Amino acid sequence: MDVVELEHDTAAHQYRLVRDGEVLSSADYRPLDDGVTLVFHHTLTPPQHRGNGYAAELIGRALDDVRAAGRKVVPTCWFVDEFVAAHPQYAELRA
């Protein structure tokens, strides 16, 4: 069984969902100067991986990581904004 892993590249300001070295979906963010808030501005799932729920899995896992780090989010990406709106357990992460 293939393991799908969450990678957080802090230098590139990106979360990635990866299986066997292949990126299934990614989310870019920009940290604000307050050191707490991350502006999620872009989510991308390559065409061959769309329709499999990878973006939703990525954002859920990324938001869990954000919560564990005691951070907040500003979802300017429409997908992240709609995900947070549809999942009330993440509402308190909005900055």
Side-chain angles (χ1 to χ4, degrees):
M1 183 171 165
D2 295 326
V3 176
V4 176
E5 297 178 340
L6 178 71
E7 293 182 355
H8 183 194
D9 185 338
T10 56
H13 305 300
Q14 185 179 71
Y15 281 95
R16 292 184 288 265
L17 199 62
V18 178
R19 182 181 60 218
D20 294 331
E22 183 177 11
V23 176
L24 305 173
S25 189
S26 62
D28 298 321
Y29 65 87
R30 179 177 52 87
L32 295 184
D33 290 338
D34 66 6
V36 175
T37 308
L38 305 178
V39 178
F40 277 79
H41 60 85
H42 184 68
T43 303
L44 174 69
T45 301
Q48 69 270 25
H49 296 303
R50 291 180 186 157
N52 294 304
Y54 294 133
E57 181 178 350
L58 167 69
I59 298 306
R61 291 173 70 177
L63 292 174
D64 289 340
D65 188 65
V66 167
R67 176 185 287 130
R71 298 184 127 181
K72 297 287 186 180
V73 299
V74 175
T76 60
C77 166
W78 69 268
F79 187 85
V80 179
D81 186 47
E82 288 183 7
F83 185 91
V84 173
H87 296 87
Q89 67 268 33
Y90 297 113
E92 84 281 356
L93 295 179
R94 284 188 187 266

